Amino acid sequence: MGKRVMTVDDSATVRQVLHMTLEGAGYEVVQAVDGEDALGKLSKESFDMLVTDLNMPKLDGIGLIKVVRQNPGNRFMPIIMLTTESQPEKKQEGKAAGASGWIVKPFKPEQLLAVVRMVCPL
Amino acid sequence: MSSLAETFKDEAMELLQELEESLLALEETPEDQGLIDRVFRALHTLKGSGGLAGFEDVSSFCHEAETVFELVRSGDLKADRELVSLTLAAQDHLKGMVLTEFGADPVDDERTAELVAAFQILLPFAEQQVEKISEQALRQESIQSTYRIRFRPQPNLFRLGVQPQFLLSELAHLGEAIIVAQLDAVPPLDELDPEECWVYWDILLTTAEDKDAIRDVFIFVEDDCGLDIQQIDEGGVLDQPEDYKRLGEILVERGDLPQDELDHFLNQKKLFGEALVEQGHVNRSKVQSALTEQERVQALRRQRQVCDAVDSIRVKSDRLDKLVNLVGEMVTVQARLSQFASNRVDADLLSVAEEVERLTWDLRDQVLTIRMLPISGIFTKFKRLVRDLGAELGKDVMLVTEGGETELDKTVIDSLNDPLVHLIRNCIGHGIELPQVRQALGKPAKGRITLSAKHAGANVALTITDDGAGLDKAQIKAKAVEKGLVGAQAELSDREIYNLIFEPGFSTAQEVSNVSGRGVGMDVVRQAVDSLRGSIEVSSEAGQGTVFAVKLPLTLAIIDGLLIDIASEQYILPLSAVEECVELTQEETIQAHGRNLLNIRDEIVPYVRLRNEFNLPGERPEIEQVVIANLEGFRVGFVVDNVVGEHQTVIKNLGRMYQDADGVSGATILGDGRVALILDLPSLATRVETKENSACR
């Protein structure tokens, strides 16, 4: 059974890496460029996991997570946030908003897969 | 260049453009928080993307600038004209760094260092000092430690989108895990909120990873759970006693039972775990979990002791050969001593002789096991052979091996290689069909050759089985007739027909290939097996496959023999072939009307009179003895004067002059110093058979 992942990042490079890695591992990937774009797509389809950047124009990651968690259908959805080493407090903020876990950028594809395996294995 | 790098280049150019614009605007209005955020985000994104796209230098360079702008963002640093100029310079430099990968002139490394230093100077002292501590954890691979882990998530676990089963299975990836779920905290059903997690887990993990690796599995939930990881057994430590902590100690250590309660209980002499559960101090699953830990560690330590014991040293094999020879001499001398002692009426001497006998036998057994090697060594070589040959002939073949741990004398193993190679070549060349043919026959396209070894008494039975076409009886017979090996009218049993393939100069391959079918082959295999005192049999089922069964003695140096005598000459028969001994009276011989047949429990057994066979002088005794031997499924009797008894036979090869002597495989020295020949029963039987056959014709 395939799993659908939504990846949200304003950087095309990050989106491409996420997409290639996850798709290579057998996930179905839908990309969004920022929080608002993601919300629009999330309202139309259902996903098994959300991977989102925190620093984004329009709606940022924390805001996105908060809104997503409010939807009863997404209460148990694994959410992974992309952070950087320089934002330890962001991790706490993200967790408080309802993120399941995080990946520190830059990451290697295998690191991404190791994290994804912990929260949403195929 | 990969498309990822191209994507990054485009993105980087956009970001640098954005960075430049924001910086220029920032110069006009240094306090504008929106502009500061834009600068920061551009640097931040560039750093992240660069790292992902493999532009490590870009990424780490951006990191320096980003760190500074983080301070600006939080108001700890002012975005003055100087900083803006520096950042603009950095922006130009970054463009150069990105374009280097696309053929532009490489950037000046010194300039990079200068800019980095310029940014770092702006940082407070503490942050300059931050250096990444390199991973010092010298992980010692292969050393397995055992950890006791209690993972007690907070009830809100599910709301974080975390499923504990994924974490547990991730943990199980690290090593060998035994997981016990503890259910005692689960509330009654009417109070239970299905969206909460009340179960917690005790895990015993044996892994080569360290504690940090285990902690990493729980990294996302660490703050939201009770996590207790304790190392309870360390692999690197030797000489640990095998027994582990007692149940009570484990429970107290885990905090499941207070010490004073433990003391109280120890005074009651009951089965401890049972008593605790009965009186409700600890629930059953906790006791179970602690017991599991106890068992696990004990088992591990036992295992480790076994492993340590298997420490080995290498010894040159010629030293071993010398040792075996010496033991052989020893056995001979001991036989002499025993004989000498039994002829004297001296109880003391007799007891010493018996002692020496016992020790010598032990010594013999020990020395012979030293030379034993598992057969798996040559088995593995064949995997490759099968693969390569199969590919060469366009056949899809797999080799399955069984019983690789079966041990055989090193000499036997060494001389086994060539015959086995030949047999396997034959299986692939003649037996296994082409994939299309197999599929048409409804067989799996992949052919299968099974190589198996197992102990059978003093022998090792090796079988090579293929699931190919099987032997074509008609074709074999036709060929044999053509080659003059049998008469056209000969009535042959299936077994006799199959055995024709071992005749010299026999080959049925339609076309000669370099794999099989040069007409030398199966007879060479038989010779090799014979020289190892073994035997080979073939059986086959048309369309189902062929089975070659090779029987080999465990060792070539010393065998259990049966000492017999004929006309005061002593001979040894290999005991492994002997089934029973019966008497043969003169009367019976007369009643048989000259046919050498014996009726044993209604079974007709042919016999060979060795006295006649060896042309020994003298009269036959009144009652002769017949040693019944089982030769590849056929019972044949050998008539002798006397059966003396079992004899430890050290095999000596005959000199070169007598190497080809038919019916004799070697010689041994008896206790009294005389030489006795070791008889080769199968070849004797065949010799007699051929003689009779030719007499019939």
Side-chain angles (χ1 to χ4, degrees):
Chain A
M1 187 191 77
K3 296 224 168 156
R4 286 163 59 77
V5 183
M6 158 147 294
T7 59
V8 193
D9 202 309
D10 54 331
S11 150
T13 310
V14 176
R15 284 202 303 273
Q16 190 171 353
V17 168
L18 287 171
H19 197 111
M20 278 172 11
T21 309
L22 291 171
E23 207 168 60
Y27 293 86
E28 192 187 324
V29 183
V30 173
Q31 298 183 4
V33 296
D34 57 42
E36 277 180 15
D37 184 21
L39 278 181
K41 286 175 176 158
L42 277 165
S43 66
K44 289 188 201 106
E45 304 167 74
S46 74
F47 290 88
D48 297 298
M49 178 169 60
L50 175 67
V51 179
T52 176
D53 188 24
L54 291 184
N55 264 300
M56 288 182 296
K58 298 184 190 169
L59 181 59
D60 75 353
I62 304 283
L64 173 65
I65 295 172
K66 281 183 184 157
V67 179
V68 168
R69 276 279 185 249
Q70 274 164 17
N71 178 347
N74 294 332
R75 265 194 305 170
F76 304 124
M77 180 166 70
I79 300 178
I80 298 288
M81 50 189 172
L82 303 171
T83 66
T84 58
E85 298 152 83
S86 55
Q87 305 168 290
E89 72 287 346
K90 281 279 180 188
K91 263 183 217 168
Q92 288 312 317
E93 212 184 313
K95 286 212 68 180
S100 317
W102 60 86
I103 303 170
V104 175
K105 283 192 291 187
F107 52 85
K108 296 199 182 79
E110 54 268 34
Q111 289 171 320
L112 171 68
L113 292 177
V115 166
V116 167
R117 207 170 56 211
M118 281 198 273
V119 294
C120 184
L122 276 179
Chain B
M1 268 296 144
S2 66
S3 65
L4 181 59
E6 292 287 351
T7 312
F8 173 70
K9 188 183 111 181
D10 295 346
E11 187 188 342
M13 290 308 137
E14 247 170 64
L15 286 168
L16 289 171
Q17 177 86 30
E18 158 86 4
L19 182 62
E20 190 171 22
E21 283 169 15
S22 331
L23 281 170
L24 292 172
L26 191 63
E27 200 167 20
E28 302 299 316
T29 48
E31 303 289 314
D32 188 331
Q33 197 64 35
L35 286 174
I36 296 174
D37 279 347
R38 271 171 70 190
V39 172
F40 176 80
R41 193 155 50 232
L43 285 167
H44 178 77
T45 309
L46 195 56
K47 167 181 138 178
S49 308
L52 281 176
F55 290 75
E56 308 290 343
D57 51 345
V58 173
S59 176
S60 59
F61 187 83
C62 285
H63 174 74
E64 304 298 338
E66 183 201 0
T67 316
V68 170
F69 270 87
E70 203 169 6
L71 292 176
V72 177
R73 208 156 65 135
S74 61
D76 293 331
L77 200 70
K78 282 225 174 329
D80 52 13
R81 184 175 282 268
E82 206 181 327
L83 177 58
V84 170
S85 315
L86 175 63
T87 315
L88 278 172
Q91 184 252 337
D92 288 339
H93 193 69
L94 273 168
K95 197 177 273 180
M97 286 170 98
V98 174
L99 291 175
T100 301
E101 295 292 321
F102 298 89
D105 291 337
V107 291
D108 182 3
D109 285 345
E110 261 175 55
R111 174 82 177 133
T112 311
E114 247 174 59
L115 287 166
V116 167
F119 277 117
Q120 279 177 347
I121 249 168
L122 296 169
L123 297 176
F125 185 67
E127 295 205 20
Q128 288 179 32
Q129 294 296 305
V130 177
E131 270 177 36
K132 273 191 198 164
I133 298 157
S134 62
E135 243 180 271
Q136 281 174 333
L138 282 172
R139 215 189 291 147
Q140 280 165 302
E141 301 293 340
S142 86
I143 290 190
Q144 304 250 332
S145 295
T146 302
Y147 298 87
R148 169 207 294 161
I149 303 157
R150 176 164 288 179
F151 168 49
R152 190 167 195 153
Q154 280 178 10
N156 70 357
L157 182 76
F158 297 141
R159 291 196 196 119
L160 289 169
V162 175
Q163 300 284 328
Q165 69 269 31
F166 299 150
L167 299 180
L168 293 174
S169 76
E170 187 65 22
L171 200 60
H173 277 295
L174 293 179
E176 212 174 314
I178 302 177
I179 301 169
V180 179
Q182 300 290 1
L183 305 171
D184 56 292
V186 179
L189 195 58
D190 49 350
E191 294 168 28
L192 181 73
D193 179 350
E195 294 187 359
E196 291 183 334
C197 178
W198 289 101
V199 186
Y200 61 99
W201 289 269
D202 279 333
I203 303 125
L204 276 180
L205 179 70
T206 305
T207 174
E209 304 284 339
D210 61 2
K211 220 171 176 172
D212 287 340
I214 300 174
R215 215 165 260 288
D216 276 350
V217 172
F218 296 101
I219 185 163
F220 298 151
V221 291
E222 211 171 6
D223 303 335
D224 312 288
C225 75
L227 183 65
D228 185 26
I229 305 174
Q230 280 176 42
Q231 189 173 13
I232 52 170
D233 179 65
E234 201 176 333
V237 181
L238 299 178
D239 298 331
Q240 276 168 14
E242 186 186 303
D243 51 322
Y244 181 60
K245 292 171 189 135
R246 287 155 201 268
L247 176 57
E249 290 175 274
I250 299 173
L251 285 169
V252 170
E253 232 181 71
R254 290 173 168 213
D256 288 342
L257 183 72
Q259 180 70 43
D260 51 340
E261 280 188 35
L262 169 68
D263 295 342
H264 171 70
F265 265 98
L266 289 179
N267 293 328
Q268 309 175 354
K269 316 230 156 143
K270 261 198 173 181
L271 199 53
F272 179 64
E274 288 301 313
L276 279 177
V277 174
E278 260 170 44
Q279 306 201 9
H281 288 269
V282 182
N283 69 32
R284 191 168 287 279
S285 66
K286 279 193 177 136
V287 171
Q288 197 50 51
S289 166
L291 280 174
T292 314
E293 171 177 331
Q294 202 180 26
E295 275 165 29
R296 175 94 191 123
V297 175
Q298 280 173 1
L300 276 171
R301 292 191 177 169
R302 255 198 309 278
Q303 218 174 40
R304 202 174 299 139
Q305 277 181 352
V306 173
C307 285
D308 293 343
V310 180
D311 214 353
S312 65
I313 53 166
R314 281 167 170 272
V315 178
K316 276 194 187 148
S317 61
D318 62 338
R319 286 195 195 171
L320 272 186
D321 291 345
K322 270 183 203 148
L323 187 63
V324 172
N325 280 339
L326 280 175
V327 170
E329 302 279 331
M330 180 95 175
V331 170
T332 310
V333 172
Q334 174 267 316
R336 245 170 93 187
L337 177 64
S338 296
Q339 200 171 32
F340 179 70
S342 62
N343 289 341
R344 303 248 167 158
V345 193
D346 186 338
D348 289 345
L349 179 62
L350 204 60
S351 82
V352 172
E354 277 170 5
E355 190 90 332
V356 172
E357 178 171 320
R358 196 177 54 76
L359 284 174
T360 315
W361 287 26
D362 271 3
L363 184 64
R364 178 197 75 134
D365 288 346
Q366 288 304 316
V367 168
L368 290 183
T369 50
I370 295 180
R371 294 173 52 90
M372 296 295 193
L373 289 176
I375 201 165
S376 55
I378 53 171
F379 274 12
T380 36
K381 274 198 281 186
F382 294 142
K383 290 233 152 137
R384 182 65 196 272
L385 176 83
V386 166
R387 205 197 134 274
D388 291 355
L389 270 183
E392 199 177 307
L393 295 174
K395 295 178 182 178
D396 197 3
V397 195
M398 66 168 166
L399 179 72
V400 180
T401 60
E402 290 163 3
E405 72 287 348
T406 310
E407 292 190 325
L408 263 173
D409 193 284
K410 185 177 181 306
T411 358
V412 179
I413 288 188
D414 289 347
S415 8
L416 206 54
N417 190 49
D418 292 351
L420 281 183
V421 167
H422 230 108
L423 284 176
I424 290 173
R425 276 168 179 271
N426 255 282
C427 286
I428 301 172
H430 299 305
I432 305 285
E433 311 92 330
L434 292 167
Q436 311 86 283
V437 179
R438 291 180 62 89
Q439 265 169 341
L441 289 169
K443 294 187 193 182
K446 204 179 189 74
R448 186 186 165 102
I449 295 178
T450 311
L451 196 54
S452 88
K454 65 167 190 277
H455 279 290
N459 293 299
V460 166
L462 266 180
T463 50
I464 298 101
T465 314
D466 70 56
D467 64 349
L471 296 175
D472 186 338
K473 278 185 283 195
Q475 205 185 356
I476 292 174
K477 192 172 170 194
K479 194 87 173 184
V481 171
E482 182 196 316
K483 300 257 173 186
L485 297 171
V486 289
Q489 307 304 318
E491 282 294 328
L492 298 172
S493 68
D494 286 359
R495 184 170 163 270
E496 285 167 319
I497 295 175
Y498 292 145
N499 280 326
L500 286 173
I501 64 169
F502 294 115
E503 294 299 323
F506 183 92
S507 174
T508 55
Q510 298 293 347
E511 48 199 284
V512 174
S513 69
N514 66 348
V515 175
S516 57
R518 261 163 305 173
V520 291
M522 297 312 263
D523 60 318
V524 178
V525 172
R526 174 138 83 179
Q527 263 172 32
V529 172
D530 281 351
S531 73
L532 294 170
R533 288 173 215 291
S535 62
I536 182 163
E537 278 283 301
V538 57
S539 58
S540 177
E541 186 93 25
Q544 302 293 313
T546 309
V547 180
F548 289 97
V550 181
K551 211 159 101 181
L552 295 162
L554 280 175
T555 176
L556 295 178
I558 301 178
I559 58 164
D560 283 320
L562 186 69
L563 186 63
I564 53 118
D565 69 28
I566 312 163
S568 310
E569 290 282 340
Q570 302 199 295
Y571 298 91
I572 298 281
L573 308 182
L575 195 60
S576 56
V578 175
E579 280 196 337
E580 58 180 324
C581 297
V582 297
E583 292 187 341
L584 179 68
T585 57
Q586 294 278 22
E587 261 171 68
E588 281 174 299
T589 319
I590 294 160
Q591 276 167 9
H593 302 294
R595 283 171 303 176
N596 291 345
L597 292 173
L598 202 62
N599 184 340
I600 300 171
R601 294 184 294 275
D602 290 335
E603 191 196 342
I604 303 296
V605 177
Y607 63 77
V608 177
R609 195 168 250 119
L610 291 178
R611 177 185 287 271
N612 298 351
E613 206 52 45
F614 294 156
N615 292 325
L616 295 170
E619 279 300 303
R620 299 207 297 257
E622 267 305 286
I623 300 171
E624 293 171 289
Q625 304 288 327
V626 188
V627 178
I628 309 293
N630 187 334
L631 304 175
E632 293 159 20
F634 283 88
R635 280 152 66 88
V636 180
F638 293 90
V639 184
V640 303
D641 287 3
N642 254 317
V643 174
V644 180
E646 219 178 304
H647 186 264
Q648 290 295 304
T649 309
V650 180
I651 300 173
K652 301 277 179 195
N653 286 324
L654 295 172
R656 210 179 301 159
M657 294 280 285
Y658 304 104
Q659 204 104 80
D660 297 329
D662 203 12
V664 179
S665 61
T668 189
I669 299 165
L670 299 175
D672 56 8
R674 283 193 293 165
V675 170
L677 295 176
I678 301 167
L679 302 185
D680 180 357
L681 300 183
S683 80
L684 273 174
T686 331
R687 193 169 84 173
V688 174
E689 201 181 352
T690 353
K691 235 188 321 196
E692 306 245 310
N693 282 348
S694 52
C696 286
R697 265 181 226 159

